Amino acid sequence: MGECIFCRIVAGEVPADVVAETSRCLAFRDRNPKAPTHVLVVPVDHVAHAGELGAEHADLLAEMFATARSVAEGDGVAESGYRLVFNVGDDGGNTVAHLHLHVLGGRAMAWPPG
Ligand code: AMP
Ligand code: ZN
């Protein structure tokens, strides 16, 4: 996993604007934000993408969603609303091969997304 950018952020080898940390996951601000709040919640242990998730990831996923909620609360967008996104594959717009939950808020989101 030496070349995985998010593994390197988790390891502290690449700087990131970390906003939350738990035993299983790390949350940091997206370097190219698409909304006033744009945070990525990633597992500490490498998982490639949401298409590889199974029952064994249940506890991890619960922690990722709880972290996303606390990030939204911390940024003051929990009441106004926010969007949680996993992109999978090329058509889904996935560019980084380490699972990440996008937390987007602070503006109204279009639906369906473009
Ligand atoms: P996705 O397109 O769903 O794979 O999302 C990857 C996201 O990671 C994009 O929104 C990028 O802006 C973001 N990103 C890539 N490298 C970094 C980095 N070093 N620090 C913070 N965000 C990053
Ligand atoms: Zn990784």
Side-chain angles (χ1 to χ4, degrees):
M1 300 308 161
E3 297 305 311
C4 174
I5 184 66
F6 289 175
C7 279
R8 295 189 69 200
I9 287 174
V10 167
E13 296 170 9
V14 170
D17 185 358
V18 173
V19 294
E21 192 168 8
T22 73
S23 59
R24 292 190 183 86
C25 58
L26 185 73
F28 53 89
R29 295 198 187 278
D30 196 295
R31 72 174 175 188
N32 182 21
K34 315 295 190 300
T37 287
H38 189 174
V39 170
L40 305 173
V41 181
V42 311
V44 166
D45 293 332
H46 185 92
V47 176
H49 58 77
E52 296 201 335
L53 292 167
E56 70 274 23
H57 298 106
D59 290 347
L60 168 65
L61 286 170
E63 200 160 304
M64 288 176 72
F65 280 99
T67 301
R69 184 184 66 220
S70 73
V71 165
E73 289 168 351
D75 269 21
V77 301
E79 293 296 319
S80 49
Y82 53 98
R83 180 168 290 175
L84 301 177
V85 176
F86 287 107
N87 293 325
V88 181
D90 291 343
D91 282 359
N94 188 213
T95 60
V96 175
H98 180 128
L99 183 68
H100 47 282
L101 175 59
H102 293 263
V103 184
L104 296 144
R107 67 169 173 81
M109 307 282 156
W111 187 261

